[in-house]
Amino acid sequence: MRDAVAARATHAVHGYYDKRGGRLHFEISLEDLSTHRSTVLTADGDLPVAATRLALAIDATASPFGTTSPDAVAAWGKGEFQKAIELDSGFGGAWLSWAQASQPAEATAIAERALANKGLRSDVDRVRLTLLLATLRQDAPMRSRALADLVKLVPPDAATSTAAAESEFTLRRFAEAAELFAQAAKLDPDNANLLNLQGYAYAFAGNLEAARKAFEEYAARPGQEANALDSLGEAYYLNGRFEEAEKQFQASYAKDPNMNGGLALSKARSEEHTSELQSLRHLV
């Protein structure tokens, strides 16, 4: 519960399961953390059916469990992934676990076989397999597409949004990266660096007004004002507005002369920094 509060969660799920009359019984309590009122949900039967029923009761857009076969679930739970797939070839979670447990060459072949299977039940499993395959192949565009799809399919998650943003940035799709960094910042408001990254993405996209707003929000975080001024200076530099950049670097130095060994003042005076940033602009 401490983690839930720290993450600013709105709800918490408590529960247990046992056997009643030879069948599994699941008892779930969905607690609203603002009112501490709970809604009790129950389901009986095999794990995949009961889990899907409970998930949909909590969120009507939830993905169903990846298989309806209790035997496939049992094999998967024991690490018998090939057996699980033999029992249900559409069980994407088993394919994914098998690939993740294998060496790269074998994992690539497994992921390719899984994705060739039109019968995979879970879109989320299919996207996760695509992401794994893209990573194994070192295919950056494929990985970026998979991450973008994953952001749409799974519940909002800062780590997924950040990974997608970084992938878009690497591919020079800066406006898309900025929007994803903004999404991640809302999901993880304690991570001030996401605002800084958002500002840089907007700067590379040429949207200085949006970059300025992101850096202003970053500056409002404790201890970040000097670095935010420096970052805004970098944004102006990247877009050829050198006089404004110099003012920001000087303001950053005035705010904290010791930050980065006084580098902000050096940047304000250095033609070499102009050259460095122009090179960076072409490289990224």
Side-chain angles (χ1 to χ4, degrees):
M1 287 301 296
R2 285 197 300 271
D3 292 339
V5 172
R8 302 182 186 180
T10 59
H11 291 76
V13 177
H14 315 268
Y16 67 90
Y17 64 91
D18 57 15
K19 265 193 172 181
R20 300 185 182 183
R23 302 181 71 200
L24 283 173
H25 172 80
F26 297 84
E27 192 95 12
I28 301 295
S29 177
L30 180 62
E31 180 185 356
D32 184 328
L33 294 179
S34 64
T35 64
H36 296 291
R37 293 178 179 174
S38 297
T39 300
V40 177
L41 307 169
T42 62
D44 294 280
D46 294 320
L47 173 61
V49 175
T52 297
R53 188 180 304 149
L54 289 166
L56 291 172
I58 294 170
D59 181 354
T61 65
S63 298
F65 203 86
T67 180
T68 58
S69 168
D71 292 336
V73 172
W76 176 55
K78 296 174 183 175
E80 299 171 353
F81 306 129
Q82 289 177 265
K83 180 180 178 181
I85 291 163
E86 290 170 2
L87 290 165
D88 182 359
S89 63
F91 188 4
W95 283 104
L96 182 61
S97 295
W98 187 18
Q100 290 172 331
S102 303
Q103 294 300 313
E106 185 182 5
T108 299
I110 292 167
E112 288 172 344
R113 282 178 56 196
L115 291 169
N117 182 351
K118 303 298 184 183
L120 291 183
R121 288 186 178 81
S122 169
D123 290 336
V124 174
D125 286 342
R126 183 176 291 279
V127 171
R128 291 193 187 281
L129 281 159
T130 303
L131 179 59
L132 176 62
L133 182 59
T135 302
L136 289 165
R137 289 178 175 174
Q138 299 183 352
D139 186 330
M142 181 182 180
R143 185 174 185 274
S144 183
R145 289 192 299 271
L147 282 166
D149 288 341
L150 195 60
V151 167
K152 297 173 186 176
L153 286 172
V154 301
D157 172 71
T160 303
S161 295
T162 300
E166 291 170 344
S167 182
E168 292 293 321
F169 196 97
T170 300
L171 293 172
R172 301 172 60 87
R173 295 200 282 258
F174 302 121
E176 292 85 349
E179 293 303 316
L180 285 162
F181 277 129
Q183 179 176 321
K186 289 178 181 178
L187 294 167
D188 187 3
D190 294 329
N191 188 344
N193 189 51
L194 291 171
L195 294 170
N196 196 35
L197 292 170
Q198 178 188 344
Y200 272 107
Y202 277 128
F204 274 104
N207 190 341
L208 277 173
E209 180 59 22
R212 183 185 62 78
K213 289 180 180 178
F215 290 135
E216 284 180 352
E217 189 175 351
Y218 177 48
R221 301 301 178 87
Q224 302 300 338
E225 189 174 356
N227 195 45
L229 290 166
D230 183 73
S231 295
L232 182 56
E234 299 274 15
Y236 282 130
Y237 242 121
L238 287 167
N239 286 275
R241 292 167 60 169
F242 303 122
E243 290 184 8
E244 290 155 289
E246 182 180 358
K247 291 177 182 177
Q248 298 302 318
F249 290 140
Q250 289 175 340
S252 174
Y253 180 78
K255 180 62 63 175
D256 184 359
N258 297 316
M259 188 186 75
N260 296 329
L263 182 61
L265 186 60
S266 298
K267 287 190 286 189
R269 296 174 175 173
S270 173
E271 292 184 4
E272 180 183 350
H273 187 61
T274 304
S275 175
E276 287 174 356
L277 280 172
Q278 292 303 321
S279 299
L280 177 62
R281 190 177 185 182
H282 291 294
L283 285 172
V284 173

